[in-house]
């Protein structure tokens, strides 16, 4: 579980530097500049997918693009590294179950 | 690993620990022989780690109908072979025979393919098997994701595929259970035939055996002449690409694209005469990728997670060599580039023959003597 | 092959301290330089988000972090081209020689969803480090992250752990992060120190060198402050992360062993760290020779004193060539740049050597005391080669026990084990399991990791889509190799 440092949260809201997006269809908000993964954590989403091998739940591990555990579906494309993509206004982020579907 | 049975002496030493060698060792041990399998180490030219995992029948054997029959026999025996391995080791090598396709991108190519299949089946002594030449619409019923460039293709119900890396592991587990003495880091430097047996000088010491089976792939070219045999093989490079794991969508293997039991999509391949260089060429990977997308456009979105270049073990005519030495009886060579397809044959047919003493006349067409055509005066 | 058109003289891969310094110096001497980096902003991991972090209170991230900003001005002024958001998935040299004597280096890129090839004369890989894999039972549970990952969240987004938080492991970064949290007013519940007691005996003779270090003493001060203010539990010899009973959805507690007894701490977040290792995938896939470093207990690409690798035209600088820290990385980047300039004929040998003098001295200073840290913080074997039930390959979910079984089947190294088990075949390409698999095989065989070896890697070292790959340029020979046979 992660939270924003309070003084940063206050400054963000005051300056309007926030981004509205959706997580599995639910409205959510993050700081402009957050990675998708950071935005998920800031919204209380610790587990972002289940694995294609055993179906175990996973969440981000490295935050630097090497572990591939933060994979999510972004705007309809599966298996994106959430920690390497910046959250954008209106972005549709979906958690994933198991193997990617070839058509998305 | 079990101890050698007779102070470093074995009934048979199999030289090579790839798919051909380990299938032979498995079959020999199953036939009651004491077996050593001599192998190189972790880094070696290993086509068994880079192949495409098809158990493939259609189109093979034009110019040697015996090879077509040999291939068909292995395909027919493969399911039972996989069952034996599962019962013994508990591992599933994921063999499936749903029938395979060779999709074509031009009417000209489709016609040429149809002609090849007809010529293949019109050979004398050919053991015929069913196949179909399909137009686009018929093909699309079986492979719904084909792209607009695909004009049709050929289909053969005998074609299948397996998980070839798991096959390698399963055979290694199986030979361990059968008491085969597996010796990695034992590259064979020299073989001497003396006193009716064989003495191998290896990187890991000396090994003696009553019989030897050369299943050393590329290294067969170097080793075979030491025992009066010939294995004129050359490397032919092929690039392969594999994607991330994807939910099952491709239910038949094709020659160039297949979905593995684990979900990844394997995409091949190329044919390059570049010696032992396994450096990847981006342009060749690109050409392979582009063709795969013409077959199945929806593959374009998938992420490529790995690619590699492997070296086929090719004889001059592309067909296998199986032969016993005339000058050093008890020395056999088994080499081919279809170690997956022919694994059932190697384990269930060839190995028992060698255990029993010899190959017999039916293997005469596979002798390397076919390459030694006397030069015209 | 006709004479290639060079896009740039030098490409630098990675914009951490080594890459920033290398690119700035090379460009300032007139070479055309492109700096390629996967992140959106320069800084690498150590100076991650230094241009845009929301954590504006400078005392939180500390002076060593803000030092990174000093590397940015010289880069801007140098004329080097910076391409952020660029994935480098391949570095290779075509086999053919070309007319002007410089065989080109071809770099496979992916920018904005499109792959392309870049042709340069020389490449400096500054790919940095990654956290040494810390395989314990349960390390794949959501809620378990690397301490480095948590630090990235702090730097880039001002995110800090909430709920019950445990840190575990050893090494400077663990203490630095705990200290940064303290400055930010975040208290974590416990630090489980896994530094093996016996490491002190080996490290003590190296202490005088450490005490001479102008930089590392600061780390000691910061560790003492953390120890004073937080609960630190030492001599931890075993760890596991557990989810809810009967479920595995997320972390619930951390179980640790101390003096032979097990203890349990409730935890929503567990931050693991026991050092960093070179991020060597790109160098490995490029064909650069590498060697086992016993002191740092990791593989590192083989380089000469200028960072030149075994592949002509490919240099390495910074932690990607062996762990030395940010200050050392910047100096190594400058040395690699000088050598590249020399190889390209832009400066003579004497000029190179003369210009290198201050940087070599600074590098030596920066490395002073490193041996003490390496020795003190070598992780215990139980954490390098974990128990059988521990997942080592996160992508394919392969356990240490499965690797040991493969060794018993005769696998003598990681490449055969990879074929047998698929360990290292997932999208991370062995980054999170490679060091562990080598250690497990070595321990099982009773030999040194040097005798076991490492994965042989191939491009693409980061995934690109099949469509991107398909759109790359192809020669007629490439097409014939696929269609004609």
């Amino acid at each position: 579980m992660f939270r924003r440092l309070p003084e940063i949260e206050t400054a963000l809201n005051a300056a309007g530097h926030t981004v509205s997006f959706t997580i599995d269809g639910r409205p959510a908000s993050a700081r402009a500049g957050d990675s998708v993964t950071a935005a998920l954590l800031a919204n209380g989403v610790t587990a972002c997918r289940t694995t294609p091998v055993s179906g175990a739940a996973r969440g981000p591990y490295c935050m630097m693009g090497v572990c591939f555990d933060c994979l999510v579906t972004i705007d309809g494309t599966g298996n994106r590294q959430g920690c390497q993509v910046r959250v954008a206004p209106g972005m549709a982020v979906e958690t994933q179950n198991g193997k990617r579907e070839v058509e998305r | 690993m079990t101890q050698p049975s007779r102070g470093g002496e074995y009934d048979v030493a199999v030289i090579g620990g790839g798919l051909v060698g380990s299938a032979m060792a498995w079959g020999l041990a199953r036939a009651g022989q004491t077996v050593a399998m001599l192998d190189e180490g972790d880094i070696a030219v290993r086509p068994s780690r880079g192949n495409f995992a098809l158990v493939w029948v259609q189109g093979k054997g034009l110019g040697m109908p015996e090879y077509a029959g040999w291939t068909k026999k292995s395909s027919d025996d493969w399911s039972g072979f996989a069952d034996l391995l599962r019962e013994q080791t508990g591992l599933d090598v994921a063999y499936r025979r749903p029938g395979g396709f060779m999709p074509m991108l031009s009417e000209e190519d489709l016609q040429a393919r149809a002609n090849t299949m007809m010529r293949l089946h019109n050979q004398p002594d050919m053991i015929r098997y069913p196949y179909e030449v399909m137009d686009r619409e018929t093909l699309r019923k079986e492979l719904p994701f084909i792209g607009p460039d695909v004009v049709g293709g050929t289909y053969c119900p005998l074609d299948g595929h397996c998980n070839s890396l798991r096959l390698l592991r399963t055979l290694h587990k199986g030979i361990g259970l059968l008491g085969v003495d597996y010796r990695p880091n034992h590259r064979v430097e020299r073989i001497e035939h003396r006193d009716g047996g064989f003495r191998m000088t290896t990187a890991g010491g000396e090994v003696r055996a009553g019989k030897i089976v050369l299943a050393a792939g590329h290294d067969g070219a170097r080793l075979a002449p030491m025992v009066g045999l010939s294995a004129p093989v050359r490397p032919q490079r092929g690039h392969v690409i594999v994607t991330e794991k994807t939910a099952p969508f491709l239910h038949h293997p094709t020659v160039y694209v297949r979905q593995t039991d684990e979900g990844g999509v394997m995409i091949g391949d190329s044919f390059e005469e570049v010696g032992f260089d396994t450096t990847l060429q981006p342009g060749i990977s690109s050409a392979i990728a582009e063709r795969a997308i013409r077959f199945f456009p929806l593959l374009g979105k998938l992420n490529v997670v790995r690619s590699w270049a492997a070296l086929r073990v090719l004889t001059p005519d592309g067909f296998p060599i199986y032969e016993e030495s005339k000058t050093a009886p008890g020395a056999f060579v088994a080499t081919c580039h279809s170690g997956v397809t022919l694994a059932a044959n190697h384990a269930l047919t060839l190995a028992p023959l060698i255990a029993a003493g010899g190959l017999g006349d039916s293997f005469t067409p596979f002798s390397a003597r076919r390459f030694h055509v006397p030069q015209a005066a | 092959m006709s004479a290639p058109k060079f896009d740039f003289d030098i490409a630098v891969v990675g914009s951490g301290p080594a890459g920033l310094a290398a690119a700035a110096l090379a460009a300032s001497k007139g070479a055309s330089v492109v700096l390629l980096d996967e992140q959106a902003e320069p800084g690498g991991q150590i100076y991650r988000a230094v241009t845009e972090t929301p954590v504006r209170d400078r005392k939180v991230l500390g002076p060593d972090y803000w030092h990174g900003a000093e590397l940015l001005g010289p880069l801007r002024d140098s004329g080097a081209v910076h391409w952020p958001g660029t994935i480098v998935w391949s570095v290779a040299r075509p086999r053919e020689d070309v007319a002007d004597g410089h065989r080109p280096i071809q770099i496979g890129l992916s920018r904005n969803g499109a792959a392309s090839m870049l042709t340069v004369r020389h490449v400096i890989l500054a790919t940095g480090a990654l956290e040494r894999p810390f395989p314990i039972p349960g390390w794949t549970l959501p809620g378990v992250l690397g301490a480095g990952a948590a630090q990235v969240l702090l730097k880039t987004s001002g995110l800090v752990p909430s709920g019950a938080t445990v840190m575990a492991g050893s090494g400077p970064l663990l203490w630095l992060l705990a200290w940064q949290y303290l400055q930010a007013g975040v208290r974590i519940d416990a630090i489980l120190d896994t530094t093996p007691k016996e490491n002190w005996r080996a490290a003590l003779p190296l202490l005088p060198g450490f005490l001479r270090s102008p930089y590392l003493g600061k780390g000691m001060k910061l560790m003492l402050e953390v120890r004073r203010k937080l609960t630190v539990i030492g001599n931890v010899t075993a760890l596991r992360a557990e989810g809810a009973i009967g479920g595995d959805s997320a972390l619930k507690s951390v179980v640790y062993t101390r003096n032979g007894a097990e203890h349990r701490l409730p935890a929503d977040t567990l931050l693991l760290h026991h050092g960093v290792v070179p991020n060597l995938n790109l160098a490995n896939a490029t064909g650069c020779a590498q060697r086992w470093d016993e002191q740092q207990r990791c593989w590192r690409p083989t380089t000469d004193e200028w960072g030149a690798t075994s592949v002509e035209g490919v240099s390495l600088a910074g932690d990607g060539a062996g762990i030395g820290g940010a200050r050392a990385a910047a100096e190594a980047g400058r040395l690699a740049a000088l050598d590249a300039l020399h190889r390209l004929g832009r400066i003579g040998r004497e000029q190179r050597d003369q210009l290198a003098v201050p940087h070599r001295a600074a590098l030596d200073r920066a490395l002073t005391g490193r041996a003490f840290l390496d020795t003190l913080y070598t992780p215990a074997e139980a954490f390098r080669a974990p128990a059988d039930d521990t997942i080592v390959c996160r992508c394919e979910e392969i356990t240490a026990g499965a690797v040991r079984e493969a060794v018993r089947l005769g696998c003598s190294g990681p490449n055969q084990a990879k074929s047998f088990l698929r360990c290292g075949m997932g999208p991370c390409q062995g980054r999170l399991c490679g060091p562990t698999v080598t250690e497990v095989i070595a321990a099982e065989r009773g030999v040194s990791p040097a005798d076991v070896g490492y994965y042989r890697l191939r491009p693409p070292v980061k995934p690109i889509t099949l469509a991107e790959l398909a759109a790359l340029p192809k020669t007629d020979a490439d097409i014939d190799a696929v269609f004609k046979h």
Side-chain angles (χ1 to χ4, degrees):
Chain A
M1 296 198 298
F2 284 81
R3 65 181 166 91
R4 195 89 59 185
L5 285 169
E7 59 275 22
I8 294 173
E9 190 70 33
T10 311
L12 274 184
N13 292 331
H17 291 159
T18 56
V19 172
S20 295
F21 70 110
T22 62
I23 304 172
D24 292 330
R26 302 184 309 276
S29 130
R31 169 184 167 266
D34 275 349
S35 68
V36 167
T37 303
L40 288 172
L41 289 170
N43 283 274
V45 178
T46 310
C48 59
R49 67 180 184 116
T50 60
T51 67
V53 176
S54 73
R58 286 283 170 92
Y61 184 77
C62 81
M63 290 305 298
M64 57 176 279
V66 297
C67 79
F68 292 81
D69 266 326
C70 65
L71 300 176
V72 286
T73 299
I74 298 177
D75 290 336
T77 301
N79 275 1
R80 304 283 314 273
Q81 286 183 280
C83 79
Q84 299 298 95
V85 178
R86 291 199 173 191
V87 68
M91 187 179 261
V93 179
E94 294 166 81
T95 55
Q96 290 193 170
N97 282 317
K99 295 185 178 82
R100 176 185 182 170
E101 299 285 335
V102 70
E103 291 181 276
R104 58 189 316 238
Chain B
M1 276 164 274
T2 55
Q3 288 304 304
S5 54
R6 285 174 287 161
E9 274 194 47
Y10 303 86
D11 294 335
V12 196
V14 176
I15 300 172
L19 283 170
V20 177
S22 49
M24 294 294 296
W26 186 85
L28 287 160
R30 218 166 145 261
Q33 304 274 286
T34 59
V35 182
M37 187 163 85
L38 310 179
D39 199 3
E40 293 189 32
D42 191 54
I43 305 275
V45 181
R46 289 192 183 277
S48 294
R49 297 202 299 224
N51 65 66
F52 202 67
L54 295 174
V55 178
W56 205 253
V57 177
Q58 68 163 296
K60 287 179 175 174
L62 183 58
M64 191 196 272
E66 295 87 352
Y67 175 53
W70 179 240
T71 298
K72 178 177 178 299
K73 175 176 171 49
S74 203
S75 164
D76 289 340
D77 288 351
W78 234 103
S79 180
F81 176 51
D83 290 345
L84 287 172
L85 289 172
R86 191 186 309 105
E87 285 158 23
Q88 185 203 10
T89 64
L91 297 172
D92 178 8
V93 300
Y95 173 64
R96 308 282 181 272
R97 187 154 89 161
F101 290 88
M102 173 118 179
M104 307 304 287
L105 295 170
S106 75
E107 292 293 351
E108 195 186 343
D109 287 350
L110 182 60
Q111 192 54 52
R113 175 72 178 169
N115 290 343
T116 300
M117 292 300 287
M118 202 190 307
R119 277 163 57 217
L120 174 68
H121 281 262
N122 286 343
Q123 294 179 110
D125 303 324
M126 176 72 186
I127 297 171
R128 287 159 183 264
Y129 53 80
Y131 73 91
E132 281 176 60
V133 180
M134 290 180 175
D135 63 15
R136 177 180 165 77
E137 284 316 304
T138 317
L139 187 68
R140 205 153 68 99
K141 289 193 185 82
E142 305 296 329
L143 296 175
F145 297 113
I146 55 171
D149 291 354
V150 178
V151 299
T154 53
Y155 167 77
C156 172
L158 304 187
D159 293 330
H161 57 160
C162 73
N163 184 322
S164 61
L165 292 178
R166 203 175 307 132
L167 173 62
L168 183 64
R169 172 188 170 193
T170 302
L171 286 168
H172 276 246
K173 184 170 182 184
I175 64 170
L177 293 170
L178 288 165
V180 171
D181 191 7
Y182 175 57
R183 298 203 180 183
N185 304 304
H186 275 59
R187 181 181 190 269
V188 174
E189 307 295 345
R190 202 167 71 235
I191 311 171
E192 291 163 281
H193 179 227
R194 58 164 70 166
D195 308 327
F198 297 88
R199 192 162 83 174
M200 272 70 63
T201 309
T202 83
E206 189 182 290
V207 177
R208 280 171 295 156
K211 285 177 281 197
I212 59 169
V213 178
L214 297 182
H218 295 292
D219 219 14
R222 177 179 67 91
L223 295 169
M226 296 180 189
V227 286
L229 287 164
S230 163
V233 292
R234 71 174 198 282
Q236 184 191 57
R237 186 168 72 185
H239 279 57
V240 180
I241 299 165
V242 69
T243 73
E244 62 203 342
K245 289 177 171 43
T246 307
F249 70 97
L250 187 58
H251 303 294
H252 296 270
T254 75
V255 176
Y256 306 114
V257 179
R258 69 178 198 94
Q259 188 171 23
T260 71
D261 60 306
E262 284 140 340
V265 181
M266 276 179 93
I267 300 166
D269 54 359
S270 56
F271 301 85
E272 310 156 66
E273 305 290 341
V274 291
F276 285 91
D277 178 6
T278 54
T279 315
L280 290 169
Q281 303 298 315
I284 290 175
S285 295
S286 180
I288 291 169
E290 187 178 28
R291 179 175 62 184
I293 291 171
R294 288 178 72 192
F295 289 138
F296 301 106
L298 80 181
L299 294 177
K301 280 196 208 174
L302 295 184
N303 288 304
V304 172
V305 291
R306 283 180 301 122
S307 64
W308 62 89
L311 300 172
R312 294 183 194 86
V313 183
L314 273 198
T315 59
D317 59 9
F319 304 128
I321 299 171
Y322 303 115
E323 186 167 17
E324 181 173 6
S325 173
K326 290 271 187 286
T327 56
F332 298 83
V333 61
T335 193
C336 67
H337 76 273
S338 303
V340 178
T341 298
L342 298 176
N345 277 358
H346 294 157
L348 300 177
T349 303
L350 195 62
L353 287 174
I354 290 174
L359 298 179
D361 292 343
S362 64
F363 283 85
T364 309
F366 295 104
S367 160
R369 287 191 299 277
R370 67 185 188 267
F371 305 121
H372 305 157
V373 180
Q375 297 295 307
Chain C
M1 189 173 179
S2 58
K5 184 187 152 292
F6 288 99
D7 297 298
F8 294 92
D9 292 329
I10 298 173
V12 178
V13 181
S15 67
L20 289 169
L25 177 54
S28 73
K29 300 284 180 199
S32 66
V33 177
V34 63
L35 175 59
L36 310 168
D37 191 59
E38 194 171 4
Q39 305 301 334
E41 296 294 327
Q45 301 307 322
I46 189 90
Y47 304 135
R48 184 84 182 260
V50 69
T51 54
E52 55 165 16
T53 178
V55 185
R56 303 314 297 178
D57 179 350
R58 288 195 162 224
K59 82 171 193 312
V60 173
L61 293 171
D64 283 349
Y65 172 75
W66 290 103
H67 173 75
E70 292 172 22
L71 294 168
L72 301 176
L75 179 78
R76 256 193 316 272
D77 299 342
S78 72
V81 178
H82 180 211
W83 285 358
T86 303
I87 291 168
V88 173
W89 51 268
S90 165
V91 170
R93 286 156 50 98
R95 286 186 309 153
E96 294 86 351
D97 281 302
V98 293
D100 73 349
H102 281 294
R103 282 171 61 192
I105 304 277
Q106 288 203 312
I107 300 179
L109 303 180
S110 176
R111 291 182 81 197
N112 305 318
S116 60
M117 303 300 290
L118 196 68
T119 304
V120 301
R121 296 173 196 272
H122 194 98
V123 63
I124 298 173
L125 306 179
T127 48
L130 49 83
E131 294 188 271
R132 182 191 294 276
F134 199 154
I136 60 168
W139 71 312
T140 52
L141 287 170
V144 182
L145 290 84
Q151 198 186 39
V152 168
L153 287 166
L154 173 61
K155 290 171 181 170
T156 59
S157 297
L159 289 170
V160 293
S162 61
T165 304
V166 175
M167 296 175 70
S170 66
L173 176 61
L174 196 75
W175 300 107
L176 173 61
L177 180 64
W179 180 85
Q180 288 170 330
Y181 282 156
L182 277 177
Q183 308 311 303
V186 178
R187 291 188 63 85
I188 54 158
D189 294 277
I191 297 179
L192 304 176
D193 186 352
T194 61
T195 310
K197 247 189 313 198
E198 56 274 20
N199 282 11
W200 279 101
R201 198 175 331 120
L204 271 180
L206 303 164
L207 187 59
F210 177 75
L211 295 176
R212 277 202 306 278
S213 161
Y215 309 112
L216 302 175
K218 282 187 290 187
M220 206 52 119
K221 238 174 73 189
L222 148 176
M223 181 173 90
L224 292 174
E225 185 181 343
V226 171
R227 285 184 173 279
R228 211 165 51 239
K229 295 182 175 168
L230 292 176
T231 306
V232 177
I233 299 167
N235 299 325
V236 169
T237 53
L239 278 171
R240 70 175 186 271
E242 290 186 344
I245 305 296
D248 63 352
S249 55
L251 177 71
K252 287 281 178 268
S253 58
V254 178
V255 179
Y256 67 93
T257 303
R258 182 169 193 267
N259 300 330
E262 274 198 356
H263 308 270
R264 180 181 301 269
L265 292 171
D268 299 301
T269 303
L270 169 62
L271 304 178
L272 293 172
H273 180 80
H274 62 178
V276 296
V277 295
N279 186 354
L280 48 67
N281 277 43
L282 184 56
N284 180 311
T286 302
C288 299
Q290 55 187 47
R291 67 182 176 87
W292 174 254
D293 182 328
E294 184 64 30
Q295 179 177 303
Q296 297 199 336
R297 203 102 203 146
C298 63
W299 289 94
R300 59 195 290 179
T302 311
T303 54
D304 71 7
E305 57 177 349
W306 300 98
T309 70
S310 63
V311 178
E312 193 197 325
V314 179
S315 309
L316 265 165
D319 278 359
I323 304 305
R327 301 275 180 154
E331 300 304 345
R334 293 179 183 115
L335 293 173
L338 289 173
D339 189 51
L341 290 165
H342 168 58
R343 285 164 186 260
L344 298 181
R346 288 191 168 266
I347 58 174
R349 176 179 291 267
E350 273 179 34
Q351 197 185 355
R352 175 196 69 175
D353 294 352
Q354 196 189 337
L355 288 168
V357 171
H359 302 305
R360 213 170 276 294
L363 176 63
D364 288 345
R365 266 199 312 279
L367 291 175
T368 302
R370 180 57 54 177
F372 172 78
L373 288 180
D374 291 341
T375 307
L376 180 61
Y377 291 129
T378 298
E381 182 167 0
F383 295 119
R384 288 184 278 111
D388 280 354
D389 62 348
T390 313
I391 285 178
V392 296
C393 168
R394 297 171 64 97
C395 296
E396 298 287 341
E397 302 182 51
I398 307 301
T399 63
V403 175
R404 292 194 177 95
E405 192 195 329
V407 174
R408 288 193 289 274
L409 289 184
C411 282
S412 54
N415 293 290
Q416 189 82 338
K418 178 177 171 180
S419 295
F420 278 20
L421 303 173
R422 300 188 63 77
C423 57
M425 278 194 185
C428 100
Q429 304 212 344
R431 289 172 177 88
L432 275 285
C433 71
T436 314
V437 168
T438 291
E439 292 266 13
V440 169
I441 294 174
E444 187 69 10
R445 288 182 55 204
V447 300
S448 161
D451 299 326
V452 166
Y454 194 76
Y455 293 136
R456 238 175 8 158
L457 303 169
R458 299 271 183 262
V461 297
K462 298 277 299 213
I464 55 171
T465 67
L466 197 69
E468 283 182 84
L469 185 58
L472 288 176
K474 301 171 251 312
T475 64
D476 289 346
D478 293 335
I479 293 166
D480 285 351
V482 175
F483 284 91
K484 282 195 182 165
H485 65 94

